[in-house]
Amino acid sequence: MAEYKLKKPIITSAGETIEVLNLDWDSLSFGDFSTVRRVRLMMGEVSASDSVSPKLDNGLRIALAWVAAVKGTKGLVVEDCVRLSMLDTLELSDECFDGYLTA
């Protein structure tokens, strides 16, 4: 499990403050694909088309990292992704590429 310290803490929909995301890469499975698509739609990717390569698709990397964070961070839910700062959102893409896709 990887840790990511947020630049700007998140106040979850339940009112909890989260300063660190625990990215549980090992728990991601095929069953999470629909959740990844849901996050992409919430990000405004109208079609949420499936990329051939996550290494080239920034939106897919962000969604993968968010689902890993939800699975590893107590109190975090998928819908809290809209509370993430833009800087943290973009850095999660890098976390996914560096910590998961190239591991």
Side-chain angles (χ1 to χ4, degrees):
M1 190 169 323
E3 276 191 2
Y4 172 74
K5 181 158 176 32
L6 293 166
K7 308 294 185 237
K8 181 179 177 188
I10 296 173
I11 307 298
T12 68
S13 52
E16 296 181 51
T17 300
I18 294 180
E19 296 180 358
V20 175
L21 298 178
N22 296 305
L23 304 170
D24 191 357
W25 297 117
D26 293 336
S27 71
L28 290 179
S29 68
F30 182 78
D32 295 314
F33 186 69
S34 62
T35 307
V36 168
R37 287 180 55 85
R38 196 165 106 219
V39 171
R40 293 183 77 183
L41 288 169
M42 289 170 42
M43 289 171 36
E45 293 190 9
V46 179
S47 67
S49 60
D50 305 318
S51 173
V52 175
S53 173
K55 292 183 179 183
L56 301 176
D57 188 332
N58 195 43
L60 180 56
R61 291 195 314 259
I62 292 166
L64 283 168
W66 186 256
V67 173
V70 168
K71 292 184 104 175
T73 307
K74 185 179 178 190
L76 196 63
V77 296
V78 171
E79 292 74 19
D80 289 328
C81 70
V82 298
R83 301 169 189 277
L84 197 60
S85 74
M86 184 58 72
L87 179 59
D88 285 317
T89 300
L90 295 172
E91 288 195 7
L92 276 179
S93 172
D94 292 340
E95 285 290 315
C96 181
F97 188 79
D98 295 339
Y100 184 60
L101 295 174
T102 59

